[in-house]
Amino acid sequence: MFSLMNRLVGISSIIFAVFAWNGATAQPHSVPIGELTDSMRLHPKHALILISTDWCTFCRMQKAQLRKNDDFKKAVPYLYFAELDAGHNEDISFNGTTYSFKATGHGTGSHELAYVLGETGNRLAFPTWVLLNENFEIIFKFPGVIKADELSQLLETIPRQSTPK
């Protein structure tokens, strides 16, 4: 009985490890948006930010695309990736300024930082992709769904000469 129990525990540990490893590799590593400034100042490199919302179907589609994109996985050591939920209702400190959620009605609104980074033509679309250089300058902004090959082309523009941290 004891031997059978040990084998079951061992098998279940292996199964758990396999699922944990698959889960860990399935999600793109994301730096919390509130920590992005410190990360970029400590180890300067580009940052790719996905501005999205919980209710946006296209945003969920883009996140799923990231999990499968080999070029994104290869580029992760050379850039920071952060998600910014435009519906986040707490203050966020970013590059020396604190931004807040601005209500536009009962239960609706958007975060100021989402507008600062993602606004195009007085509008904020979801998803919006923003690429910052190591000096926090916006060098690319794309409101809408980005195709896998377009994302790969964008990632190719990011310098890789620095040692990954």
Side-chain angles (χ1 to χ4, degrees), residues 59-70 72-73 129 145-152:
C59 300
R60 287 191 297 274
M61 182 179 76
Q62 293 283 249
K63 291 175 189 179
Q65 175 186 315
L66 280 180
R67 288 190 294 270
K68 299 177 204 171
N69 191 301
D70 289 334
F72 176 75
K73 292 174 188 174
W129 295 88
V145 173
I146 192 167
K147 297 176 186 171
D149 61 329
E150 294 168 336
L151 177 60
S152 295

Side-chain angles (χ1 to χ4, degrees), residues 83-159:
E83 293 180 45
L84 173 55
D85 178 359
H88 184 79
N89 59 8
E90 294 179 16
D91 290 353
I92 298 172
S93 180
F94 184 79
N95 196 22
T97 304
T98 300
Y99 299 94
S100 303
F101 178 82
K102 296 296 179 193
T104 57
H106 181 69
T108 63
S110 293
H111 205 280
E112 285 179 315
L113 184 56
Y115 274 101
V116 167
L117 293 174
E119 181 179 38
T120 304
N122 293 325
R123 295 191 62 227
L124 184 59
F126 304 114
T128 292
W129 295 88
V130 179
L131 181 63
L132 304 176
N133 66 16
E134 60 276 356
N135 297 315
F136 296 89
E137 298 166 332
I138 297 173
I139 58 174
F140 174 82
K141 187 186 310 186
F142 183 80
V145 173
I146 192 167
K147 297 176 186 171
D149 61 329
E150 294 168 336
L151 177 60
S152 295
Q153 289 173 3
L154 173 63
L155 294 171
E156 287 175 14
T157 68
I158 297 170

Side-chain angles (χ1 to χ4, degrees), residues 31-32 34-45 80 136:
V31 175
E35 296 174 17
L36 186 58
T37 298
D38 290 341
S39 297
M40 289 179 70
R41 288 193 176 141
L42 188 59
H43 300 290
K45 53 186 176 177
Y80 294 107
F136 296 89

